[in-house]
Amino acid sequence: MTADVLTTLVHALAGDPRLVDDVVASARAQSPESARLPSAESRRHVAALITAGCTAFLRAAEPDDEDFADAQRFGAAGAALGVPVGALLSGVHGGRSRVLEIAIARGRAAGLPDDVLLQGLLRLDRYGNALERNVLDGYRTAERQLDTDRRAARIRLLRHLLLGPDGTEAGEDLGRFGLTAEGRYHCVVSDVSDPARVRELEQAFARCGGVLAPVGGRLSGLTPRLPARLDDQALVVSTPPVPLKNAAAAHRLALAALDAARVRRKAGPHGVTELAGETALAGQPMLAGFLRDELLGALDPADDFHRDLAGTALAYLDRGQRLDLTAGSLHLHPNTVRYRLRRLAELTGFGAAGEQLTVLETVRWWWALWAWREAGPQTGLP
């Protein structure tokens, strides 16, 4: 009976998304520098590590190399984004401690005897030790691949140029990396964290006379010209050329555009001007919430039909309020689109006057509909 309780407990830990969120939050709070890693990537790694650890536990055998593939990748991503190894391991310690706390609390709540709980925690601790070794190994391997000595100099220079003077000198001559005080440069940022892709991008921009390195947790840089071809899967955002005195402001804008593009699940290269609308709207999340609640308060996010109405209205606005284009994009009969828009108008007043919306009205409704759809069904935690 005790074995069954323990097995059920471990299965519950492996499948609990709230546990992943809790562990990620603890790790990032423990080490602000490790929080430079993109949150979605960190969550994916943590989820995989918890699943692998629970699987190894249930096998009643020592974990093997496959159990630590994500630990290796996590360490490599930290090196690729310039997170100090001490900070990365501090985050691992924070997450590991939180897992142990939760395991103890749930084991006691399940009525496990102290000796059984202790044996389980010892096995979990051995897994944690192996996990840390593999994070470190992945970090060191990526360091060797990334030419860290010269890269460290690029990081120092770009931090000075893109984050703004912090009272210290850049420590490196601009000319060492082909930059000039009189030059104008595109500011570039990317959310790439895989070491192989980071290296590819750094080399691609170096061939264009640019300098790329991790700055503040994002691959960032300056380049006199953009590569003719870039990986369509790697999100890269660039500004028009600016003088070096404006590089820090351009970097802040590029980061805002990058975040907006990530929310819209975009990939490939994009200029900030292409993302102007998304960037401007993303800068006012409170206003988006007000619009959503005021214009669409009659819709229920848990109602599939209401979600169909919102999705149809978004498609309608995205296609210039053309009924035929909307029907074609959704593979619906035009009468179905017309019916949904009429029902939405009855519920919310959307296009109730029967006339096409003005540009500003379109923005207002589009923004409200998008924010409502992204919020999704609100479910309480048990």
Side-chain angles (χ1 to χ4, degrees):
M1 181 63 71
T2 297
D4 290 342
V5 172
L6 182 59
T7 299
T8 300
L9 173 63
V10 174
H11 275 301
L13 288 171
D16 188 350
R18 295 170 302 177
L19 172 64
V20 176
D21 293 333
D22 197 339
V23 171
V24 170
S26 295
R28 293 169 79 87
Q30 180 72 23
S31 174
E33 289 196 71
S34 69
R36 293 179 185 176
L37 291 169
S39 58
E41 281 292 296
S42 295
R43 193 184 188 287
R44 184 179 64 79
H45 285 302
V46 168
L49 291 171
I50 289 175
T51 299
C54 291
T55 301
F57 188 98
L58 293 170
R59 283 201 313 263
E62 290 301 315
D64 54 34
D65 291 343
E66 290 186 4
D67 294 321
F68 297 109
D70 261 275
Q72 294 266 347
R73 285 190 285 268
F74 182 72
L81 291 179
V83 179
V85 66
L88 195 68
L89 290 178
S90 178
V92 172
H93 290 159
R96 179 180 171 183
S97 297
R98 185 59 183 146
V99 168
L100 289 173
E101 290 173 4
I102 292 171
I104 292 171
R106 294 194 182 183
R108 286 178 172 163
L112 285 176
D114 287 346
D115 59 333
V116 174
L117 185 58
L118 178 59
Q119 290 300 315
L121 293 174
L122 289 174
R123 285 173 57 192
L124 188 61
D125 192 54
R126 288 198 298 273
Y127 178 84
N129 289 332
L131 169 69
E132 289 186 22
R133 289 196 300 272
N134 278 271
V135 168
L136 183 58
D137 183 57
Y139 189 99
R140 296 302 188 203
T141 299
E143 268 192 326
R144 290 191 293 272
Q145 295 172 346
L146 289 166
D147 184 19
T148 53
D149 289 341
R150 184 174 174 81
R151 196 165 185 255
R154 296 203 307 270
I155 292 172
R156 287 195 298 272
L157 177 62
L158 288 174
R159 282 182 60 85
H160 182 81
L161 294 173
L162 300 182
L163 300 185
D166 55 5
T168 65
E169 294 300 322
E172 299 292 335
D173 182 14
L174 292 173
R176 177 180 175 185
F177 296 104
L179 305 180
T180 66
E182 301 77 23
R184 297 175 67 87
Y185 302 97
H186 300 270
C187 183
V188 179
V189 295
S190 176
D191 68 346
V192 169
S193 60
D194 175 76
R197 283 189 167 179
V198 166
R199 190 176 183 184
E200 287 174 6
L201 282 177
E202 288 178 347
Q203 292 174 342
F205 281 92
R207 288 192 290 270
C208 295
V211 185
L212 218 62
V215 176
R218 291 282 187 248
L219 192 63
S220 307
L222 297 167
T223 183
R225 57 191 178 88
L226 299 171
R229 292 183 60 83
L230 286 172
D231 181 359
D232 288 341
Q233 300 304 310
L235 177 58
V236 179
V237 173
S238 60
T239 71
V242 297
L244 282 185
K245 67 179 182 179
N246 293 339
H251 182 242
R252 290 192 295 272
L253 175 60
L255 287 175
L258 179 76
D259 288 341
R262 290 181 70 246
V263 170
R264 301 304 196 281
R265 302 173 184 86
K266 293 182 179 292
H270 294 274
V272 292
T273 52
E274 297 173 49
L275 301 166
E278 294 92 331
T279 305
L281 297 183
Q284 297 292 339
M286 180 178 286
L287 183 54
F290 288 156
L291 278 171
R292 178 193 65 215
D293 295 343
E294 182 174 312
L295 296 181
L296 303 173
L299 298 186
D300 178 2
D303 187 317
D304 289 339
F305 179 62
H306 285 186
R307 298 189 69 79
D308 286 341
L309 298 184
T312 301
L314 275 171
Y316 178 67
L317 294 178
D318 281 337
R319 285 156 184 80
Q321 302 175 59
R322 288 276 303 274
L323 197 68
D324 55 340
L325 296 181
T326 304
S329 70
L330 298 176
H331 307 291
L332 296 172
H333 193 281
N335 286 342
T336 303
V337 174
R338 188 178 289 108
Y339 167 72
R340 289 183 179 179
L341 294 177
R342 186 172 68 249
R343 286 292 295 131
L344 184 64
E346 292 169 355
L347 290 168
T348 68
F350 174 81
E355 299 177 355
Q356 284 209 324
L357 300 173
T358 66
V359 172
L360 291 180
E361 287 172 336
T362 298
V363 170
R364 225 164 50 98
W365 279 102
W366 186 95
W367 197 7
L369 287 160
W370 187 87
W372 183 88
R373 186 183 65 178
E374 289 299 301
Q378 302 299 310
T379 57
L381 295 178

PDB file of all heavy atoms in Angstrom, residues 86-120:
ATOM      1  N   GLY A  86      28.057  30.662 -11.915  1.00  0.00           N
ATOM      2  CA  GLY A  86      27.632  30.680 -10.516  1.00  0.00           C
ATOM      3  C   GLY A  86      26.176  31.068 -10.369  1.00  0.00           C
ATOM      4  O   GLY A  86      25.436  30.488  -9.563  1.00  0.00           O
ATOM      5  N   ALA A  87      25.743  32.052 -11.168  1.00  0.00           N
ATOM      6  CA  ALA A  87      24.346  32.477 -11.117  1.00  0.00           C
ATOM      7  C   ALA A  87      23.423  31.375 -11.622  1.00  0.00           C
ATOM      8  O   ALA A  87      22.344  31.140 -11.077  1.00  0.00           O
ATOM      9  CB  ALA A  87      24.155  33.741 -11.951  1.00  0.00           C
ATOM     10  N   LEU A  88      23.866  30.671 -12.666  1.00  0.00           N
ATOM     11  CA  LEU A  88      23.044  29.596 -13.214  1.00  0.00           C
ATOM     12  C   LEU A  88      22.864  28.482 -12.186  1.00  0.00           C
ATOM     13  O   LEU A  88      21.756  27.982 -11.966  1.00  0.00           O
ATOM     14  CB  LEU A  88      23.690  29.044 -14.484  1.00  0.00           C
ATOM     15  CG  LEU A  88      22.796  28.169 -15.357  1.00  0.00           C
ATOM     16  CD1 LEU A  88      21.695  29.005 -15.987  1.00  0.00           C
ATOM     17  CD2 LEU A  88      23.616  27.485 -16.448  1.00  0.00           C
ATOM     18  N   LEU A  89      23.959  28.091 -11.538  1.00  0.00           N
ATOM     19  CA  LEU A  89      23.878  27.030 -10.530  1.00  0.00           C
ATOM     20  C   LEU A  89      23.083  27.484  -9.312  1.00  0.00           C
ATOM     21  O   LEU A  89      22.412  26.680  -8.672  1.00  0.00           O
ATOM     22  CB  LEU A  89      25.276  26.582 -10.120  1.00  0.00           C
ATOM     23  CG  LEU A  89      26.047  25.815 -11.196  1.00  0.00           C
ATOM     24  CD1 LEU A  89      27.446  25.460 -10.700  1.00  0.00           C
ATOM     25  CD2 LEU A  89      25.307  24.552 -11.616  1.00  0.00           C
ATOM     26  N   SER A  90      23.139  28.772  -9.006  1.00  0.00           N
ATOM     27  CA  SER A  90      22.337  29.285  -7.899  1.00  0.00           C
ATOM     28  C   SER A  90      20.856  29.103  -8.192  1.00  0.00           C
ATOM     29  O   SER A  90      20.069  28.731  -7.313  1.00  0.00           O
ATOM     30  CB  SER A  90      22.662  30.763  -7.663  1.00  0.00           C
ATOM     31  OG  SER A  90      21.870  31.287  -6.624  1.00  0.00           O
ATOM     32  N   GLY A  91      20.474  29.354  -9.448  1.00  0.00           N
ATOM     33  CA  GLY A  91      19.088  29.131  -9.841  1.00  0.00           C
ATOM     34  C   GLY A  91      18.708  27.663  -9.750  1.00  0.00           C
ATOM     35  O   GLY A  91      17.590  27.321  -9.325  1.00  0.00           O
ATOM     36  N   VAL A  92      19.624  26.782 -10.148  1.00  0.00           N
ATOM     37  CA  VAL A  92      19.372  25.339 -10.054  1.00  0.00           C
ATOM     38  C   VAL A  92      19.173  24.939  -8.594  1.00  0.00           C
ATOM     39  O   VAL A  92      18.268  24.159  -8.254  1.00  0.00           O
ATOM     40  CB  VAL A  92      20.522  24.536 -10.683  1.00  0.00           C
ATOM     41  CG1 VAL A  92      20.352  23.044 -10.418  1.00  0.00           C
ATOM     42  CG2 VAL A  92      20.578  24.789 -12.191  1.00  0.00           C
ATOM     43  N   HIS A  93      20.018  25.473  -7.705  1.00  0.00           N
ATOM     44  CA  HIS A  93      19.881  25.177  -6.274  1.00  0.00           C
ATOM     45  C   HIS A  93      18.518  25.624  -5.756  1.00  0.00           C
ATOM     46  O   HIS A  93      17.864  24.909  -4.980  1.00  0.00           O
ATOM     47  CB  HIS A  93      20.977  25.899  -5.480  1.00  0.00           C
ATOM     48  CG  HIS A  93      22.340  25.338  -5.712  1.00  0.00           C
ATOM     49  ND1 HIS A  93      23.491  26.048  -5.473  1.00  0.00           N
ATOM     50  CD2 HIS A  93      22.742  24.133  -6.188  1.00  0.00           C
ATOM     51  CE1 HIS A  93      24.547  25.305  -5.783  1.00  0.00           C
ATOM     52  NE2 HIS A  93      24.110  24.145  -6.217  1.00  0.00           N
ATOM     53  N   GLY A  94      18.089  26.835  -6.180  1.00  0.00           N
ATOM     54  CA  GLY A  94      16.802  27.337  -5.724  1.00  0.00           C
ATOM     55  C   GLY A  94      15.652  26.444  -6.169  1.00  0.00           C
ATOM     56  O   GLY A  94      14.752  26.127  -5.385  1.00  0.00           O
ATOM     57  N   GLY A  95      15.675  26.018  -7.438  1.00  0.00           N
ATOM     58  CA  GLY A  95      14.632  25.122  -7.935  1.00  0.00           C
ATOM     59  C   GLY A  95      14.664  23.768  -7.268  1.00  0.00           C
ATOM     60  O   GLY A  95      13.619  23.191  -6.934  1.00  0.00           O
ATOM     61  N   ARG A  96      15.881  23.264  -7.049  1.00  0.00           N
ATOM     62  CA  ARG A  96      16.030  21.949  -6.407  1.00  0.00           C
ATOM     63  C   ARG A  96      15.485  21.975  -4.986  1.00  0.00           C
ATOM     64  O   ARG A  96      14.779  21.053  -4.553  1.00  0.00           O
ATOM     65  CB  ARG A  96      17.512  21.583  -6.412  1.00  0.00           C
ATOM     66  CG  ARG A  96      17.860  20.272  -5.774  1.00  0.00           C
ATOM     67  CD  ARG A  96      19.355  20.068  -5.869  1.00  0.00           C
ATOM     68  NE  ARG A  96      19.802  18.932  -5.088  1.00  0.00           N
ATOM     69  CZ  ARG A  96      21.073  18.577  -4.963  1.00  0.00           C
ATOM     70  NH1 ARG A  96      22.004  19.272  -5.584  1.00  0.00           N
ATOM     71  NH2 ARG A  96      21.411  17.532  -4.226  1.00  0.00           N
ATOM     72  N   SER A  97      15.791  23.038  -4.247  1.00  0.00           N
ATOM     73  CA  SER A  97      15.296  23.143  -2.868  1.00  0.00           C
ATOM     74  C   SER A  97      13.770  23.203  -2.838  1.00  0.00           C
ATOM     75  O   SER A  97      13.133  22.603  -1.966  1.00  0.00           O
ATOM     76  CB  SER A  97      15.870  24.400  -2.205  1.00  0.00           C
ATOM     77  OG  SER A  97      17.281  24.316  -2.110  1.00  0.00           O
ATOM     78  N   ARG A  98      13.207  23.903  -3.814  1.00  0.00           N
ATOM     79  CA  ARG A  98      11.747  24.025  -3.842  1.00  0.00           C
ATOM     80  C   ARG A  98      11.086  22.681  -4.135  1.00  0.00           C
ATOM     81  O   ARG A  98      10.050  22.340  -3.544  1.00  0.00           O
ATOM     82  CB  ARG A  98      11.344  25.059  -4.905  1.00  0.00           C
ATOM     83  CG  ARG A  98       9.856  25.360  -4.933  1.00  0.00           C
ATOM     84  CD  ARG A  98       9.382  25.886  -3.599  1.00  0.00           C
ATOM     85  NE  ARG A  98       7.947  26.111  -3.579  1.00  0.00           N
ATOM     86  CZ  ARG A  98       7.180  25.936  -2.521  1.00  0.00           C
ATOM     87  NH1 ARG A  98       7.721  25.521  -1.375  1.00  0.00           N
ATOM     88  NH2 ARG A  98       5.886  26.165  -2.581  1.00  0.00           N
ATOM     89  N   VAL A  99      11.681  21.889  -5.037  1.00  0.00           N
ATOM     90  CA  VAL A  99      11.148  20.553  -5.324  1.00  0.00           C
ATOM     91  C   VAL A  99      11.148  19.696  -4.069  1.00  0.00           C
ATOM     92  O   VAL A  99      10.172  18.984  -3.766  1.00  0.00           O
ATOM     93  CB  VAL A  99      11.959  19.870  -6.445  1.00  0.00           C
ATOM     94  CG1 VAL A  99      11.601  18.390  -6.535  1.00  0.00           C
ATOM     95  CG2 VAL A  99      11.683  20.536  -7.777  1.00  0.00           C
ATOM     96  N   LEU A 100      12.257  19.742  -3.302  1.00  0.00           N
ATOM     97  CA  LEU A 100      12.336  18.955  -2.075  1.00  0.00           C
ATOM     98  C   LEU A 100      11.276  19.403  -1.068  1.00  0.00           C
ATOM     99  O   LEU A 100      10.634  18.567  -0.409  1.00  0.00           O
ATOM    100  CB  LEU A 100      13.732  19.081  -1.469  1.00  0.00           C
ATOM    101  CG  LEU A 100      14.862  18.371  -2.233  1.00  0.00           C
ATOM    102  CD1 LEU A 100      16.211  18.709  -1.622  1.00  0.00           C
ATOM    103  CD2 LEU A 100      14.645  16.863  -2.240  1.00  0.00           C
ATOM    104  N   GLU A 101      11.081  20.722  -0.925  1.00  0.00           N
ATOM    105  CA  GLU A 101      10.065  21.227   0.005  1.00  0.00           C
ATOM    106  C   GLU A 101       8.673  20.712  -0.378  1.00  0.00           C
ATOM    107  O   GLU A 101       7.895  20.265   0.483  1.00  0.00           O
ATOM    108  CB  GLU A 101      10.063  22.757  -0.009  1.00  0.00           C
ATOM    109  CG  GLU A 101      11.286  23.397   0.627  1.00  0.00           C
ATOM    110  CD  GLU A 101      11.293  24.906   0.426  1.00  0.00           C
ATOM    111  OE1 GLU A 101      10.300  25.439  -0.141  1.00  0.00           O
ATOM    112  OE2 GLU A 101      12.280  25.552   0.824  1.00  0.00           O
ATOM    113  N   ILE A 102       8.373  20.778  -1.657  1.00  0.00           N
ATOM    114  CA  ILE A 102       7.042  20.349  -2.116  1.00  0.00           C
ATOM    115  C   ILE A 102       6.880  18.843  -1.941  1.00  0.00           C
ATOM    116  O   ILE A 102       5.821  18.358  -1.523  1.00  0.00           O
ATOM    117  CB  ILE A 102       6.847  20.762  -3.592  1.00  0.00           C
ATOM    118  CG1 ILE A 102       6.775  22.284  -3.695  1.00  0.00           C
ATOM    119  CG2 ILE A 102       5.578  20.127  -4.171  1.00  0.00           C
ATOM    120  CD1 ILE A 102       6.795  22.812  -5.119  1.00  0.00           C
ATOM    121  N   ALA A 103       7.945  18.086  -2.258  1.00  0.00           N
ATOM    122  CA  ALA A 103       7.882  16.627  -2.118  1.00  0.00           C
ATOM    123  C   ALA A 103       7.631  16.234  -0.658  1.00  0.00           C
ATOM    124  O   ALA A 103       6.840  15.326  -0.365  1.00  0.00           O
ATOM    125  CB  ALA A 103       9.163  15.989  -2.640  1.00  0.00           C
ATOM    126  N   ILE A 104       8.312  16.910   0.278  1.00  0.00           N
ATOM    127  CA  ILE A 104       8.117  16.616   1.701  1.00  0.00           C
ATOM    128  C   ILE A 104       6.687  16.922   2.114  1.00  0.00           C
ATOM    129  O   ILE A 104       6.015  16.114   2.770  1.00  0.00           O
ATOM    130  CB  ILE A 104       9.127  17.423   2.546  1.00  0.00           C
ATOM    131  CG1 ILE A 104      10.552  16.909   2.309  1.00  0.00           C
ATOM    132  CG2 ILE A 104       8.762  17.355   4.026  1.00  0.00           C
ATOM    133  CD1 ILE A 104      11.621  17.795   2.932  1.00  0.00           C
ATOM    134  N   ALA A 105       6.202  18.100   1.734  1.00  0.00           N
ATOM    135  CA  ALA A 105       4.845  18.499   2.127  1.00  0.00           C
ATOM    136  C   ALA A 105       3.801  17.540   1.564  1.00  0.00           C
ATOM    137  O   ALA A 105       2.879  17.115   2.279  1.00  0.00           O
ATOM    138  CB  ALA A 105       4.573  19.925   1.639  1.00  0.00           C
ATOM    139  N   ARG A 106       3.945  17.151   0.324  1.00  0.00           N
ATOM    140  CA  ARG A 106       2.945  16.276  -0.279  1.00  0.00           C
ATOM    141  C   ARG A 106       3.072  14.842   0.264  1.00  0.00           C
ATOM    142  O   ARG A 106       2.067  14.140   0.411  1.00  0.00           O
ATOM    143  CB  ARG A 106       3.089  16.284  -1.802  1.00  0.00           C
ATOM    144  CG  ARG A 106       2.769  17.644  -2.410  1.00  0.00           C
ATOM    145  CD  ARG A 106       2.579  17.557  -3.906  1.00  0.00           C
ATOM    146  NE  ARG A 106       2.325  18.869  -4.479  1.00  0.00           N
ATOM    147  CZ  ARG A 106       2.068  19.090  -5.770  1.00  0.00           C
ATOM    148  NH1 ARG A 106       2.029  18.064  -6.605  1.00  0.00           N
ATOM    149  NH2 ARG A 106       1.854  20.310  -6.218  1.00  0.00           N
ATOM    150  N   GLY A 107       4.296  14.421   0.546  1.00  0.00           N
ATOM    151  CA  GLY A 107       4.479  13.082   1.105  1.00  0.00           C
ATOM    152  C   GLY A 107       3.838  12.955   2.473  1.00  0.00           C
ATOM    153  O   GLY A 107       3.164  11.961   2.767  1.00  0.00           O
ATOM    154  N   ARG A 108       4.018  13.973   3.287  1.00  0.00           N
ATOM    155  CA  ARG A 108       3.399  13.943   4.625  1.00  0.00           C
ATOM    156  C   ARG A 108       1.875  14.029   4.529  1.00  0.00           C
ATOM    157  O   ARG A 108       1.159  13.362   5.273  1.00  0.00           O
ATOM    158  CB  ARG A 108       3.961  15.087   5.462  1.00  0.00           C
ATOM    159  CG  ARG A 108       5.390  14.826   5.927  1.00  0.00           C
ATOM    160  CD  ARG A 108       5.974  15.974   6.704  1.00  0.00           C
ATOM    161  NE  ARG A 108       7.268  15.614   7.283  1.00  0.00           N
ATOM    162  CZ  ARG A 108       8.151  16.495   7.732  1.00  0.00           C
ATOM    163  NH1 ARG A 108       7.873  17.789   7.671  1.00  0.00           N
ATOM    164  NH2 ARG A 108       9.303  16.080   8.235  1.00  0.00           N
ATOM    165  N   ALA A 109       1.408  14.881   3.594  1.00  0.00           N
ATOM    166  CA  ALA A 109      -0.045  14.997   3.420  1.00  0.00           C
ATOM    167  C   ALA A 109      -0.652  13.677   2.953  1.00  0.00           C
ATOM    168  O   ALA A 109      -1.805  13.362   3.265  1.00  0.00           O
ATOM    169  CB  ALA A 109      -0.366  16.103   2.420  1.00  0.00           C
ATOM    170  N   ALA A 110       0.138  12.883   2.194  1.00  0.00           N
ATOM    171  CA  ALA A 110      -0.345  11.589   1.707  1.00  0.00           C
ATOM    172  C   ALA A 110      -0.217  10.488   2.752  1.00  0.00           C
ATOM    173  O   ALA A 110      -0.631   9.348   2.517  1.00  0.00           O
ATOM    174  CB  ALA A 110       0.415  11.192   0.445  1.00  0.00           C
ATOM    175  N   GLY A 111       0.373  10.810   3.907  1.00  0.00           N
ATOM    176  CA  GLY A 111       0.492   9.835   4.987  1.00  0.00           C
ATOM    177  C   GLY A 111       1.650   8.872   4.844  1.00  0.00           C
ATOM    178  O   GLY A 111       1.642   7.793   5.455  1.00  0.00           O
ATOM    179  N   LEU A 112       2.692   9.242   4.076  1.00  0.00           N
ATOM    180  CA  LEU A 112       3.843   8.353   3.935  1.00  0.00           C
ATOM    181  C   LEU A 112       4.624   8.303   5.250  1.00  0.00           C
ATOM    182  O   LEU A 112       4.865   9.340   5.873  1.00  0.00           O
ATOM    183  CB  LEU A 112       4.770   8.852   2.823  1.00  0.00           C
ATOM    184  CG  LEU A 112       4.308   8.628   1.375  1.00  0.00           C
ATOM    185  CD1 LEU A 112       5.305   9.276   0.404  1.00  0.00           C
ATOM    186  CD2 LEU A 112       4.200   7.140   1.081  1.00  0.00           C
ATOM    187  N   PRO A 113       5.045   7.108   5.672  1.00  0.00           N
ATOM    188  CA  PRO A 113       5.891   6.997   6.868  1.00  0.00           C
ATOM    189  C   PRO A 113       7.199   7.763   6.668  1.00  0.00           C
ATOM    190  O   PRO A 113       7.697   7.877   5.543  1.00  0.00           O
ATOM    191  CB  PRO A 113       6.146   5.486   6.988  1.00  0.00           C
ATOM    192  CG  PRO A 113       5.052   4.854   6.196  1.00  0.00           C
ATOM    193  CD  PRO A 113       4.727   5.791   5.094  1.00  0.00           C
ATOM    194  N   ASP A 114       7.768   8.271   7.750  1.00  0.00           N
ATOM    195  CA  ASP A 114       8.978   9.086   7.650  1.00  0.00           C
ATOM    196  C   ASP A 114      10.132   8.326   7.002  1.00  0.00           C
ATOM    197  O   ASP A 114      10.906   8.905   6.229  1.00  0.00           O
ATOM    198  CB  ASP A 114       9.412   9.568   9.044  1.00  0.00           C
ATOM    199  CG  ASP A 114       8.486  10.669   9.563  1.00  0.00           C
ATOM    200  OD1 ASP A 114       7.712  11.220   8.745  1.00  0.00           O
ATOM    201  OD2 ASP A 114       8.551  10.971  10.771  1.00  0.00           O
ATOM    202  N   ASP A 115      10.282   7.006   7.311  1.00  0.00           N
ATOM    203  CA  ASP A 115      11.410   6.276   6.734  1.00  0.00           C
ATOM    204  C   ASP A 115      11.263   6.128   5.219  1.00  0.00           C
ATOM    205  O   ASP A 115      12.244   6.227   4.465  1.00  0.00           O
ATOM    206  CB  ASP A 115      11.570   4.906   7.402  1.00  0.00           C
ATOM    207  CG  ASP A 115      10.322   4.042   7.246  1.00  0.00           C
ATOM    208  OD1 ASP A 115       9.219   4.604   7.114  1.00  0.00           O
ATOM    209  OD2 ASP A 115      10.467   2.803   7.240  1.00  0.00           O
ATOM    210  N   VAL A 116      10.027   5.906   4.744  1.00  0.00           N
ATOM    211  CA  VAL A 116       9.796   5.795   3.299  1.00  0.00           C
ATOM    212  C   VAL A 116      10.046   7.146   2.626  1.00  0.00           C
ATOM    213  O   VAL A 116      10.677   7.226   1.561  1.00  0.00           O
ATOM    214  CB  VAL A 116       8.362   5.319   3.020  1.00  0.00           C
ATOM    215  CG1 VAL A 116       8.061   5.341   1.516  1.00  0.00           C
ATOM    216  CG2 VAL A 116       8.148   3.923   3.577  1.00  0.00           C
ATOM    217  N   LEU A 117       9.555   8.200   3.268  1.00  0.00           N
ATOM    218  CA  LEU A 117       9.746   9.540   2.716  1.00  0.00           C
ATOM    219  C   LEU A 117      11.229   9.893   2.659  1.00  0.00           C
ATOM    220  O   LEU A 117      11.714  10.449   1.669  1.00  0.00           O
ATOM    221  CB  LEU A 117       8.984  10.548   3.569  1.00  0.00           C
ATOM    222  CG  LEU A 117       8.969  12.003   3.091  1.00  0.00           C
ATOM    223  CD1 LEU A 117       8.388  12.103   1.682  1.00  0.00           C
ATOM    224  CD2 LEU A 117       8.175  12.880   4.059  1.00  0.00           C
ATOM    225  N   LEU A 118      11.972   9.524   3.706  1.00  0.00           N
ATOM    226  CA  LEU A 118      13.406   9.822   3.745  1.00  0.00           C
ATOM    227  C   LEU A 118      14.142   9.099   2.623  1.00  0.00           C
ATOM    228  O   LEU A 118      14.999   9.678   1.944  1.00  0.00           O
ATOM    229  CB  LEU A 118      13.985   9.432   5.101  1.00  0.00           C
ATOM    230  CG  LEU A 118      15.494   9.639   5.271  1.00  0.00           C
ATOM    231  CD1 LEU A 118      15.851  11.105   5.057  1.00  0.00           C
ATOM    232  CD2 LEU A 118      15.952   9.148   6.642  1.00  0.00           C
ATOM    233  N   GLN A 119      13.822   7.818   2.412  1.00  0.00           N
ATOM    234  CA  GLN A 119      14.470   7.066   1.342  1.00  0.00           C
ATOM    235  C   GLN A 119      14.178   7.687  -0.024  1.00  0.00           C
ATOM    236  O   GLN A 119      15.064   7.784  -0.886  1.00  0.00           O
ATOM    237  CB  GLN A 119      14.005   5.607   1.364  1.00  0.00           C
ATOM    238  CG  GLN A 119      14.526   4.796   2.544  1.00  0.00           C
ATOM    239  CD  GLN A 119      16.050   4.740   2.563  1.00  0.00           C
ATOM    240  OE1 GLN A 119      16.696   4.524   1.544  1.00  0.00           O
ATOM    241  NE2 GLN A 119      16.616   4.962   3.747  1.00  0.00           N
ATOM    242  N   GLY A 120      12.940   8.118  -0.214  1.00  0.00           N
ATOM    243  CA  GLY A 120      12.586   8.756  -1.475  1.00  0.00           C
ATOM    244  C   GLY A 120      13.333  10.061  -1.681  1.00  0.00           C
ATOM    245  O   GLY A 120      13.823  10.348  -2.773  1.00  0.00           O
TER     246      GLY A 120
END
